[in-house]
């Protein structure tokens, strides 16, 4: 079917964000999708999948003959193409929606990876060279916003909260960001959504058995 969405993922990947987005659509629309689970290694590097995503990584989706990769882009694409889900921003919400979605996918992720994976401490005299300034600046900026808003766009949940919410839940779980009242409260709030719980159950069932 031309409308069919094919979702390429692995349950131990950032595909969990897109899974949640798809489950939000399923919850609000008469909607379904096909899942293709790819193992790390040969499956992701096979010519058939590299023709879809030359980076050889997940997540990715195909829809109407189009390919979309990158979690934030997929969330935006799905919200825009399924407007009846109510996950795309209104005109009044658009500024905050794009501001914080791109902040999460860019400066925030870079700051967290540099600190938690590479153990880098930004020299104070070189912070202007970094897109995020410093790890603490990035955390403080987000903490300040979420301390004043229930969701990224204010009182209403959108696709931006899918992308940011999954990221925050993961990073707080592994102590990569501090569980401040604002950040932890937001993470708990979005994780309580039925679609989040449904997505988690699906991916947990797809996890490889121990041993």
């Amino acid at each position: 079917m031309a409308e069919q969405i094919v979702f390429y993922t692995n349950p131990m990947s950032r595909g969990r964000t897109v899974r949640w987005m798809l489950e939000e659509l399923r919850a609000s629309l008469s909607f379904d999708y096909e899942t293709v689970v790819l193992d790390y290694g040969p499956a992701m590097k096979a010519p058939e999948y590299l023709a879809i995503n030359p980076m050889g990584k997940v997540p990715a989706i195909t829809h109407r003959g189009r390919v979309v990769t990158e979690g934030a882009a997929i969330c935006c694409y799905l919200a825009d193409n399924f407007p009846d889900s109510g996950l795309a921003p209104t005109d009044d919400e658009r500024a905050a929606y794009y501001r914080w979605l791109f902040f999460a996918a860019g400066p925030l992720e870079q700051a967290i990876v540099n600190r938690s994976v590479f153990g880098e401490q930004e020299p104070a005299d070189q912070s202007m060279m970094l897109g995020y300034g410093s790890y603490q600046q990035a955390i403080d900026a987000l903490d300040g916003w979420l301390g004043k808003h229930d969701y990224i766009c204010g009182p209403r949940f959108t696709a931006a909260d899918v992308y940011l919410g999954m990221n925050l839940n993961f990073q707080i779980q592994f102590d990569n960001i501090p569980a401040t009242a604002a950040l932890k409260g937001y993470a708990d709030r979005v994780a309580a959504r039925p679609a989040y719980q449904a997505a988690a159950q699906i991916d947990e069932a797809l996890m490889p058995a121990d041993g």
Side-chain angles (χ1 to χ4, degrees), residues 103 107-108 110-112 114-115 120-142:
F103 176 83
L108 181 64
Q110 185 180 17
I112 292 171
N114 282 353
R115 175 66 63 91
E120 294 182 2
Q121 181 76 37
E122 311 88 1
D125 60 346
Q126 297 182 23
S127 64
M128 291 183 63
M129 298 175 62
L130 301 171
Y132 59 88
S134 72
Y135 168 88
Q136 196 59 52
Q137 282 180 303
I139 297 299
D140 288 347
L142 185 61

Side-chain angles (χ1 to χ4, degrees), residues 13 46 61 88:
S13 76
I61 66 167

Side-chain angles (χ1 to χ4, degrees), residues 178-199:
T180 67
L183 297 182
K184 184 65 164 58
Y186 171 81
D188 289 345
R189 194 155 49 249
V190 297
R193 292 181 65 84
Y196 180 101
Q197 300 295 329

